[in-house]
Amino acid sequence: MKHGKKYRESLTKYDPAKLYGIQEACKLVKDLHYAKFDETVELSVTLKLEKNQTVRDTLVFPHQFTAEKRVLVFCKEERIKEALDAGATYAGNVEYIDKVKGGWTDFDIAVATPDMMKDVGRLGMVLGRRGLMPNPKTGTVTNDIANAIGELKKGRTEFRADKTGVVHIPVGKVSMNEADTAENVTTFLAELNRKKPADAKTDFIRSVSLSSTMGPGVWIDFKEEA
């Protein structure tokens, strides 16, 4: 892949092969960014997973940086008011199931009560491809609608390892104080270690890098920070 002039210039401002501490890495990513918009800062963590292993969960960062999420709740008629009062953007059953079947996905997160999953499960072709399918593992299939929406409104973020064992997750914006971004990074790495499969190898985390949307990656010395 051929990179532009500004990207190549940014590579001369630091050592691309060096491992940096979290705080220093966050400052570097902020200093290296060159785009005119407020770039997202993303963490990429490569894990050592066996074929039958995966990592998937959610967390709430100590420092928020995203716009409020639009939440759709699939629920029975008698719980629609409860969902809307709790902060859902949309709530309902047949009406929204039909809309999603037609390709409508004007929302960021979908929550479903367990008694709706038989019907919601049939929306896999639409919701699954966009990573919007409610799942008990991420707390989005639940009878506790109010608590789920409350957590999501606070910025609960889902993370999961892809097929190659890499977890990509946004941890801040370049406009943020680097100390706040660093705390988000530290919080996520600690949570990731807690989700380590019981039979995973000792070198569960293989590498960690941090970058802005358009900028180069900075390698993090995660063992030193552990």
Side-chain angles (χ1 to χ4, degrees):
M1 178 179 177
K2 188 175 181 180
H3 293 289
K5 181 181 178 182
K6 290 182 178 179
Y7 180 97
R8 295 195 301 273
E9 285 177 353
S10 67
L11 290 175
T12 66
K13 298 177 182 178
Y14 79 116
D15 184 351
K18 181 180 175 180
L19 296 176
Y20 293 88
I22 290 176
Q23 186 87 32
E24 190 177 4
C26 291
K27 184 178 186 307
L28 260 177
V29 167
K30 188 169 184 173
D31 292 343
L32 292 170
H33 108 95
Y34 55 83
K36 293 181 179 179
F37 63 93
D38 189 12
E39 296 179 72
T40 297
V41 177
E42 184 176 89
L43 194 69
S44 296
V45 184
T46 303
L47 304 176
K48 188 170 185 179
L49 296 171
E50 302 300 326
K51 286 184 178 180
N52 62 332
Q53 294 174 339
T54 189
V55 171
R56 180 180 184 180
D57 213 315
T58 64
L59 86 160
V60 176
F61 285 114
H63 303 285
Q64 293 307 309
F65 53 90
T66 57
E68 190 172 278
K69 304 289 187 182
R70 298 165 300 170
V71 181
L72 164 64
V73 176
F74 293 104
C75 60
K76 298 293 186 181
E77 204 71 27
E78 62 271 18
R79 302 199 68 181
I80 291 176
K81 184 177 185 303
E82 176 190 350
L84 293 174
D85 287 348
T89 312
Y90 313 102
N93 40 72
V94 176
E95 174 191 356
Y96 286 103
I97 287 171
D98 288 343
K99 286 185 72 171
V100 172
K101 278 181 182 176
W104 177 78
T105 55
D106 193 22
F107 53 93
D108 302 299
I109 302 170
V111 174
T113 52
D115 55 5
M116 288 296 300
M117 282 308 294
K118 181 179 179 181
D119 295 317
V120 175
R122 294 170 182 158
L123 302 175
M125 287 296 288
V126 180
L127 297 180
R129 284 184 301 190
R130 292 170 172 78
L132 294 170
M133 179 62 75
N135 190 304
K137 292 182 180 179
T138 59
T140 48
V141 176
T142 177
N143 274 314
D144 193 349
I145 295 174
N147 183 64
I149 294 173
E151 287 288 301
L152 292 167
K153 291 286 185 179
K154 284 191 291 185
R156 190 171 74 189
T157 303
E158 180 180 352
F159 62 90
R160 63 191 300 177
D162 64 20
K163 293 179 180 179
T164 64
V166 180
V167 178
H168 300 284
I169 186 168
V171 292
K173 292 282 188 177
V174 292
S175 59
M176 282 173 61
N177 182 301
E178 57 258 29
D180 291 346
T181 306
E183 189 175 352
N184 281 354
V185 171
T186 302
T187 297
F188 176 69
L189 291 178
E191 185 65 21
L192 196 57
N193 269 312
R194 279 194 288 272
K195 301 305 176 185
K196 175 182 177 180
D199 54 346
K201 306 296 183 184
T202 52
D203 54 343
F204 172 57
I205 296 179
R206 304 183 71 175
S207 66
V208 180
S209 69
L210 193 70
S211 66
S212 62
T213 305
M214 305 293 290
V218 177
W219 295 106
I220 288 178
D221 186 0
F222 62 94
K223 292 180 180 177
E224 182 180 288
E225 300 287 340

